[in-house]
């Protein structure tokens, strides 16, 4: 009868493979490294303990340096790190997890796991496996010494039959027919194996009851009832479900742990990730409970949401979703949402756990572009507060096929797994550094040592804080001649008019102006791709630009012509079939403009396109070549430090990790030209090349689970890179006082976006978002705001933020490197701090310059 069961499943399996094959999923798995059969896994020799320590009872000491000790539990795969100086021991899995009264089932198993893998079947359905249930429980775990540490290899899955070998559902008629063919033992086995769903009038497989002897009895019942492949096909058609034969799904993965000074470096080598080609891995969750805080501890989780945020342990926000954000924002080739997202992007690949006795800072060293950060509190799935990274191994898309009047949606996977190892450095900080301020200081030092920050600005030169100004040159506008529509460049600010605006600013004592000029070449604001540079005549042409550059040099204005490299803002002159990045559906990645009124994409308007990352370097070189004759001294990058996109072109794939390398290469070529670089966003990989950041994160996304916003980003980069947030006149701020206070608290410059012409020039164009940009409306207010901000921040020019704390609700203190501090009060009432009154929506300063 076993042969009958194999025959029963074969057509289903073949059908699933054939369907997925229509969507090129077999080709998509060509990068898979097929896992060996279960019988080939060998455990190897037990580890020899280099030392033991009562503080890590039951674990073997495997590596040690002057600061740390590393321990392993061979029975579970768990590790522990002892900080010699503090005596604090950090565990990969909570030591008391077995007693957790809240976690059960898979959530309890995850508490004991070091990896959780989500993989797809041929129907695109997600299944999960973890090291505890699918590896350790089967004693499929191996340990090998490596320099300064240990490698742990896991095999997931066995060839043993499981509940998944039985039909997912049975009709009532089918159950009645089978019961009539079985004895009492068989009838009882079938009734235990399937539970009736009276609403749907079906019987659903009861997986939780199908273990050990009961599973064997269920298989015998099906054999005795002569259940055939025809029966299964009929049930699938009648009950509308699909199911493939769960042939042995064997996966392999390794973790390498190594001590490095005061850190543990944990790596998942790409070469060690093996999986069946029919079951590609979607993502891997990595050390989900390393350093987790219990429900009885006080502390906080640091997440890199925007400028940074804290989630307090046990904050009781059980009704809100867990925190989850991709590092470096979303991949536009994978964009599926139609609405406009308002959340801040993750700019730094870091996360942390802060406890009273010490802290951990996690730094993603490899694979950050494929990573997401997750965090949650106790009281939901378990009794712990935790944060961890997951890594995307294979992306999945969908393709819809239509034939014979029927529509079928099938999965399509990327061709090869991410071409990177996944590495996280866990730095252990002592009690005196156990704060978000301490984490920021550590990360700043780490970036300094690893070339992750530019050289700090010299103290000499301009002492005033920067005033950031974006001027919009020309925009594309549709006009009519004799009733015939045509598109032309509408000048909003010419180079000559720009001189007038700067003169007005200078007369109002606005100094250290850093000017970003957009809409100056190749067809205005949404310019053609920069495979060449042609200055628009509408704003003054080449001669006008040269004259304006001479003017800016005389006036001491830093000039940054704005360029978009990663986005084809207009289809004109761009071959989307040849040069646009491809989605997993195999089509060019199009970006439709946002309908502000409906907050969704307007597909009736022409789209822009995501440029293939393979063109990033060549487009950048074309820009540099085009700028050589002008000696601009600087360049503004609209997207190169802000976006990372893939290209899923068939047989020529570029994933996000490869895209990151190409962006770094392009940024390096700009640096070689000795240009100052201003950029939107400011992702971590771009920081070494930047002098200025606009639209830097000045807040978090304010997810409900979060408790505090913090200037972590600013504490890391201030003194190395100048920065500002969004333009005040186009921001959500309705009160200039709140904006001024934020600049003082976060050490940021003032920023406005203007045009010379009246606002109605953008009416009935695609630039309705430029609704309040006429310079005359703002210049007096801007001068007053700048004067107030500069009076404080010029005293801390190029100084890092060395301290920040919340003194009360809406009251914060920022300390700068020279000892000067600012206390800001966002409240609409006065507050008293250390005997001093801070007026409503105001601030006070103090401290002595060191």
């Amino acid at each position: 009868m076993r042969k009958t069961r194999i025959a029963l499943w074969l057509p289903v399996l073949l059908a699933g493979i054939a369907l997925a094959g229509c969507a090129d999923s077999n080709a998509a798995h060509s990068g898979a490294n097929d896992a060996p059969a279960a019988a080939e896994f060998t455990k190897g020799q037990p580890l020899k303990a280099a030392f033991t320590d009562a503080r890590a009872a039951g674990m073997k000491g495997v590596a040690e340096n002057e600061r740390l000790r590393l321990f392993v539990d061979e029975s579970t795969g768990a590790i522990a790190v002892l900080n010699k100086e503090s005596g604090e021991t950090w565990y990969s899995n909570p030591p008391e997890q077995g007693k957790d009264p809240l976690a059960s089932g898979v959530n309890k198993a995850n508490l004991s796991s070091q990896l959780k893998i989500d993989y797809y079947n041929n129907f695109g359905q997600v299944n999960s496996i973890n090291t505890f249930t699918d590896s350790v429980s089967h004693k499929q775990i191996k340990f090998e010494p490596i320099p300064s540490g240990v490698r742990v290899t896991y095999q997931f899955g066995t060839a043993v039959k499981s509940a998944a070998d039985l039909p997912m559902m049975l009709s009532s008629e089918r159950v009645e027919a089978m019961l009539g063919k079985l004895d009492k033992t068989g009838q009882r086995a079938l009734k235990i194996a399937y539970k009736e769903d009276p609403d749907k009038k079906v019987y659903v497989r009861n997986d939780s009851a199908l273990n050990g002897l009961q599973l064997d009895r269920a298989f015998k019942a099906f054999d005795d009832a002569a259940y055939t492949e025809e029966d299964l096909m009929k049930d699938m058609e009648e009950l509308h479900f699909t199911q493939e034969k769960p042939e042995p799904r064997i996966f392999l993965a390794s973790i390498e742990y190594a001590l490095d000074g005061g850190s543990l470096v944990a790596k998942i080598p790409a070469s060690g990730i093996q999986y069946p080609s029919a079951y590609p891995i979607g993502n891997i969750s990595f050390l989900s409970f390393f350093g987790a805080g219990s429900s009885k501890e006080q502390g906080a989780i640091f997440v890199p949401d925007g400028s940074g945020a804290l989630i307090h342990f046990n904050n009781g926000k059980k009704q809100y979703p867990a925190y989850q954000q991709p590092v470096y924002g979303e991949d536009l080739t994978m964009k599926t949402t139609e609405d406009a997202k308002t959340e801040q992007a993750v700019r730094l690949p870091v996360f942390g756990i802060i406890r009273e006795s010490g802290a951990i800072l996690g730094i993603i060293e490899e694979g950050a572009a494929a990573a997401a950060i997750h965090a949650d509190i106790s009281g939901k799935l378990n009794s712990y507060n935790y944060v961890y990274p997951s890594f995307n191994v294979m992306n999945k898309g969908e393709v819809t096929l239509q034939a014979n009047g029927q529509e079928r949606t099938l999965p399509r996977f990327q061709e090869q797994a991410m071409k990177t190892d996944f590495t996280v450095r866990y730095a252990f900080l002592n009690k005196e550094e156990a704060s978000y301020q301490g984490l920021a200081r550590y990360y700043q030092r780490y970036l300094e040592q690893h070339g992750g920050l530019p050289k700090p600005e010299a103290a000499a030169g301009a002492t005033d804080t920067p005033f950031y100004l974006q001027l919009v040159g020309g925009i594309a506008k549709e006009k009519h001649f004799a009733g015939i529509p045509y598109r032309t460049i509408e000048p909003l600010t010419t180079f000559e008019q720009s001189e007038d605006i700067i003169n007005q600013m200078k007369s109002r004592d606005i100094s250290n102006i850093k000017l970003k000029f957009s809409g100056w070449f190749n067809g205005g604001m949404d310019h053609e791709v920069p495979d060449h540079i042609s200055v628009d005549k509408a704003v003054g042409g080449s001669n006008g630009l040269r004259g304006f550059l001479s003017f800016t040099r005389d006036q001491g204005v830093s000039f940054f012509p704005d360029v978009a490299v990663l986005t084809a803002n207009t289809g004109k002159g761009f071959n989307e079939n040849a040069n646009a990045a491809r989605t997993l559906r195999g089509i060019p990645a199009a970006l439709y403009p946002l309908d502000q009124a409906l907050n969704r994409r307007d597909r009736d308007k022409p789209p822009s396109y995501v440029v293939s990352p393979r063109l990033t370097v060549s487009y950048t070189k074309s820009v540099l070549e085009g700028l050589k004759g002008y000696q601009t001294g600087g360049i503004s990058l609209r997207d190169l430090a802000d976006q990372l996109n893939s290209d899923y072109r068939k047989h020529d794939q570029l994933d996000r990790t490869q895209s990151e390398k190409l962006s770094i290469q392009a940024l390096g070529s700009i640096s070689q030209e000795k240009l100052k670089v201003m950029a939107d966003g400011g992702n971590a990989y771009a920081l070494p090349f930047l002098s200025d950041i606009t639209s830097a994160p000045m807040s978090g996304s304010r997810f409900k689970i979060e408790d505090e916003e913090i200037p972590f980003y600013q504490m890391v980069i201030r003194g190395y890179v100048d920065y500002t947030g969004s333009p005040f006149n186009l921001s959500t701020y309705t009160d200039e006082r709140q904006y001024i206070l934020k600049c003082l608290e976060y050490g940021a410059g003032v920023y406005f976006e203007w045009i010379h012409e009246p606002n109605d020039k953008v009416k009935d164009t695609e630039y309705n978002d430029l609704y309040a940009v006429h310079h005359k409306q703002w210049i007096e207010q801007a001068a007053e705001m700048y004067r107030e901000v500069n009076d404080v921040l010029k005293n801390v020019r190029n100084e890092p933020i060395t301290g920040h704390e919340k003194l009360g609700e809406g009251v914060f203190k920022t300390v700068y490197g020279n000892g000067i501090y600012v206390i800001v009060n966002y409240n609409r009432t006065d507050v008293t701090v250390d005997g001093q009154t801070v007026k409503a929506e105001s601030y006070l300063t103090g401290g002595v310059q060191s």
Side-chain angles (χ1 to χ4, degrees), residues 476-535:
K477 189 172 184 178
E478 188 172 285
K479 294 186 177 181
H480 293 79
F481 178 76
I484 300 173
Y486 68 99
R487 289 178 71 83
T488 186
I489 303 301
E490 178 76 23
L492 301 180
T493 313
T494 65
F495 295 129
E496 186 175 343
Q497 290 169 338
S498 300
E499 294 183 18
D500 176 52
I501 290 174
I502 290 172
N503 285 329
Q504 292 181 51
M505 295 170 67
K506 288 279 188 176
S507 70
R508 291 167 174 80
D509 296 325
I510 298 177
S511 57
N512 196 10
I513 300 169
K514 295 195 175 186
L515 173 62
K516 176 197 297 191
F517 199 101
S518 56
W520 62 278
F521 80 109
N522 287 20
M525 182 78 165
D526 286 345
H527 59 76
E528 297 175 22
V529 290
D531 54 0
H532 68 288
I533 296 293
S534 176
V535 183

Side-chain angles (χ1 to χ4, degrees), residues 542-671:
S542 295
N543 290 333
L545 175 56
R546 289 190 174 92
F548 183 61
L549 284 167
S550 177
F551 170 81
T552 58
R553 284 191 284 268
D554 291 343
Q555 295 295 320
V557 173
S558 301
F559 182 68
F560 299 86
D562 188 53
V563 179
V565 175
L566 305 182
T567 310
N569 293 301
T570 172
K572 186 178 180 182
F574 180 73
N575 185 338
E576 63 267 23
N577 288 322
N579 297 327
R582 295 296 179 110
T583 70
L584 282 167
R585 295 174 59 198
I587 62 174
L591 304 172
Y592 287 89
L594 183 68
D595 186 321
Q596 299 281 355
L598 299 177
N599 194 39
R600 62 175 176 79
R601 301 292 164 182
D602 188 347
R603 293 183 175 272
D604 293 329
K605 292 183 178 178
S608 55
Y609 293 92
V610 179
V611 173
S612 172
R614 73 189 74 256
L615 295 170
T616 301
V617 174
S618 63
Y619 279 178
T620 302
K621 287 182 178 178
S622 295
V623 170
L624 294 174
E625 189 65 30
L627 289 178
K628 274 186 179 177
Y630 296 101
Q631 297 183 341
T632 61
I635 186 172
S636 168
L637 301 173
R638 197 181 305 178
D639 49 21
L640 194 52
D642 179 53
Q643 294 179 22
L644 275 184
N645 304 311
S646 306
D647 184 357
Y648 295 110
R649 186 175 298 273
K650 191 173 182 180
H651 305 318
D652 199 12
Q653 168 192 294
L654 283 171
D655 64 40
R656 278 237 307 184
T657 64
Q658 294 170 296
S659 180
E660 178 185 5
K661 292 175 182 176
L662 291 168
S663 290
I664 291 171
Q665 185 180 342
L667 288 161
S669 66
I670 298 173
S671 179

Side-chain angles (χ1 to χ4, degrees), residues 318-330:
K318 302 174 187 177
Q319 70 273 36
Y320 299 122
Y323 170 84
Q324 177 178 332
Q325 278 191 293
V327 177
Y328 304 145
E330 64 181 339

Side-chain angles (χ1 to χ4, degrees), residues 11-71:
V12 183
L13 176 62
L14 293 176
I17 293 175
L19 289 171
C22 293
D24 292 330
S25 70
N26 283 342
H29 306 159
S30 60
N33 188 2
D34 277 3
E40 296 179 22
F41 183 83
T42 55
K43 289 183 60 178
Q45 297 299 316
L47 282 173
K48 293 182 179 180
F51 52 87
T52 58
D53 194 311
R55 290 169 291 186
M59 306 183 87
K60 290 183 178 179
V62 294
E64 182 176 19
N65 62 20
E66 68 282 359
R67 299 175 65 180
L68 303 174
R69 279 186 158 186
L70 174 63
F71 302 87

